Each structure stands twice: as C-alpha cells, then as structure tokens.
C-alpha cells in the first residue's frame, strides 16, 4: 500500500478505547550529579509503559523522542548506548520482536519511544497493517512528539521503508536525526562515502526540507558518534537536557 494511502487511512481511523489505563508522566527538575554537574537526561531512562494502540499512549503532554528503524539495523543497541543502560531496550537475536511502542521515561519527565522495527518480522498480514496504521498516525499526529531518531545500517541505508518514514514524518516540520549504525564494519573511506551519499540523496529528494535532517556515523559497540547524537537530542529537549 502506498505511504500516502496508509497515512490517509490512518488519519481517518478513530482512536480506539482501551481498557488499559493511560499513564500521565510527571515532569521533574533535571537531575544533578554529586559534584553539581547536570546529568544528561538520556542516562536516566527507565521503562514506563508499552502501547499497542492509540488509547494506550501516555497522556500529559511530556515531550517525546521516537526511535525508529528497520529490524536488525541496531536500534535497540543504539538506545542502550545512548542511555548507558545494558538492557533497557531488548536486543533480540530474532529481529522484529518489538511489536508495540515501548516508552521510557527520563529523569526530566521527557519520554523516549521505541517504535516497532520494520521490514523483517514474520507476522500475520493483519498485524502488519495494524502496525503501519498505528505508526503512521503516531508520526503524523502525536502532539508531544518533538523529533525522530531514524536508525539505518550504514551498509544498507535508505531502504524503501526508510523513505516511507521520512514521508510520514517530514511534513510535520519536526527534526529527524539519522544514525548510520554499525559504521565500524566499514573502512574509513567507505564511511566517508556513505555519509556523503546519504546526505546528498536527502538533499536531492527534499531540497530545503532536508535541513530538518541530521545524518551521522554511529557504532554502539565501538561507541562511535555517541556524543554527537547526544548533542542533537539535547537540542530537541532544550532546558530539559541540562
């Protein structure tokens, strides 16, 4: 189904009522270390809830940053590296295991949303369509969502489904930051070429709108690009990042 049709259908679907009680996250003042230095809020993430449908998403308006990516692109590893938690997000040997939006609360009260991996999971077609409608609606209409961190395998960037994610989210005018993960599996010259190729492809596709998109190299195992990603995410969170 074309992305435009999925998005149109998603907008027409009314939010379903759920028996699961909606959670209202509390906003807290930024945490400080013992020496008085502010702790980056991503380092204080804790699991909050999971949502399989619109009515289960947290209420209250706390700002959210979504993590999305193709299954097996290293999304869970990136979340764990950025939060400095070993198993905050589950790293599965069977890609596509995440079947809901998992939400994690930062000490500041802001939320990280781990979206289902796409393009790999062997699931019934009806469930796949439900994910597509839910994620399309979440990206296009979720008011507290302030930015999208899109994870791509540096060896296989900009798949058809990656482009679909841009198509759903860029019209909102909110920023996207691309992590080209597993870059340590490429040589230095290949890393440079990949970074340039992805940036050029986005500029060619979106023109001025590509200014919404940041792109960087990243490796969770070698801890490459963590500081750069933290700076990008902190710019979205504003005062909550300090």
């Amino acid at each position: 189904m074309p992305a435009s049709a999925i998005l149109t259908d998603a907008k027409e679907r009314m939010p379903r009522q759920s028996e699961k009680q909606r959670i209202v996250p509390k906003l807290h003042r930024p945490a400080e270390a013992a020496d008085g230095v502010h702790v980056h809020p991503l380092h204080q993430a804790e699991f909050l809830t999971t949502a399989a449908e619109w009515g289960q998403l947290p209420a209250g308006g706390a700002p959210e940053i979504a993590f999305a990516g193709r299954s097996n692109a290293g999304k869970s590893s990136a979340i764990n590296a950025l939060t400095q938690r070993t198993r905050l997000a589950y790293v599965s040997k069977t890609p596509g295991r995440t079947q809901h939006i998992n939400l994690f609360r930062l000490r500041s009260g802001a939320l990280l949303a781990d979206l289902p991996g796409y393009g790999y999971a062997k699931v019934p077609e009806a469930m796949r369509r439900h994910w597509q409608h839910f994620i399309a609606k979440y990206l296009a209409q979720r008011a507290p969502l302030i930015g999208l961190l899109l994870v791509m395998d540096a060896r296989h960037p900009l798949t058809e489904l990656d482009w679909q994610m841009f198509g759903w989210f860029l019209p909102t005018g909110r920023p996207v930051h691309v992590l080209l993960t597993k870059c340590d599996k490429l040589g230095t010259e290949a890393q440079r070429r990949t970074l340039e190729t992805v940036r050029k492809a986005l500029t060619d596709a979106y023109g001025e709108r590509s200014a919404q998109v940041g792109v960087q190299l990243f490796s969770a195992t070698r801890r490459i690009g963590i500081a750069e990603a933290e700076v990008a995410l902190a710019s979205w969170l504003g005062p909550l990042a300090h």
Side-chain angles (χ1 to χ4, degrees), residues 143-164:
L145 185 58
I146 61 174
L148 172 65
L149 194 145
L150 189 56
V151 177
M152 303 180 194
D153 188 323
R155 300 165 298 177
H156 314 289
L158 295 175
T159 66
E160 180 180 353
L161 292 172
D162 293 328
W163 286 113
Q164 187 176 68

Side-chain angles (χ1 to χ4, degrees), residues 9 16 30 34 57 104 129 147 190 200 207 218:
D9 191 26
R16 293 183 295 172
L57 291 168
F104 305 94
R129 288 197 302 269
K200 184 178 186 303
F218 189 88

Side-chain angles (χ1 to χ4, degrees), residues 15-182:
R16 293 183 295 172
Q17 295 296 321
S18 171
E19 295 180 357
K20 182 176 180 179
Q21 184 178 2
R22 299 188 71 186
I23 294 176
V24 181
K26 296 181 179 180
L27 289 174
H28 301 280
R29 297 186 62 182
E32 291 188 352
D35 59 1
V37 177
H38 285 124
V39 178
H40 196 290
L42 269 66
H43 297 175
Q44 307 292 332
E46 296 179 349
F47 178 76
L48 176 65
T49 189
T50 186
E53 58 185 57
W54 190 264
Q56 295 175 351
L57 291 168
E64 296 175 13
I65 293 175
F67 283 68
R70 186 178 178 87
S71 297
N72 207 29
K75 174 167 58 70
S76 294
S77 295
I79 292 174
N80 290 337
L82 290 168
T83 58
Q84 292 191 342
R85 297 283 299 275
T86 305
R87 289 180 60 84
L88 184 69
Y90 181 64
V91 181
S92 175
K93 293 182 179 179
T94 305
R97 286 284 298 275
T98 302
Q99 299 181 9
H100 307 87
I101 296 180
N102 292 321
L103 294 116
F104 305 94
R105 181 172 55 200
L106 307 176
R107 285 289 297 273
S108 63
L111 303 180
L112 302 184
D114 181 11
L115 275 56
Y118 48 82
Y120 188 98
K122 296 180 180 179
V123 298
E125 183 60 28
M127 182 176 292
R128 188 185 302 275
R129 288 197 302 269
H130 170 69
W131 290 357
Q132 289 177 325
H133 288 302
F134 186 25
I135 299 308
K137 180 174 181 178
Y138 175 82
L139 292 175
Q141 300 183 32
R142 180 66 172 163
L145 185 58
I146 61 174
L148 172 65
L149 194 145
L150 189 56
V151 177
M152 303 180 194
D153 188 323
R155 300 165 298 177
H156 314 289
L158 295 175
T159 66
E160 180 180 353
L161 292 172
D162 293 328
W163 286 113
Q164 187 176 68
M165 298 296 284
F166 284 119
W168 285 335
F169 191 70
L170 284 181
T172 69
R174 298 164 183 167
V176 180
H177 194 72
V178 175
L179 297 185
L180 296 173
T181 59
K182 307 183 183 181

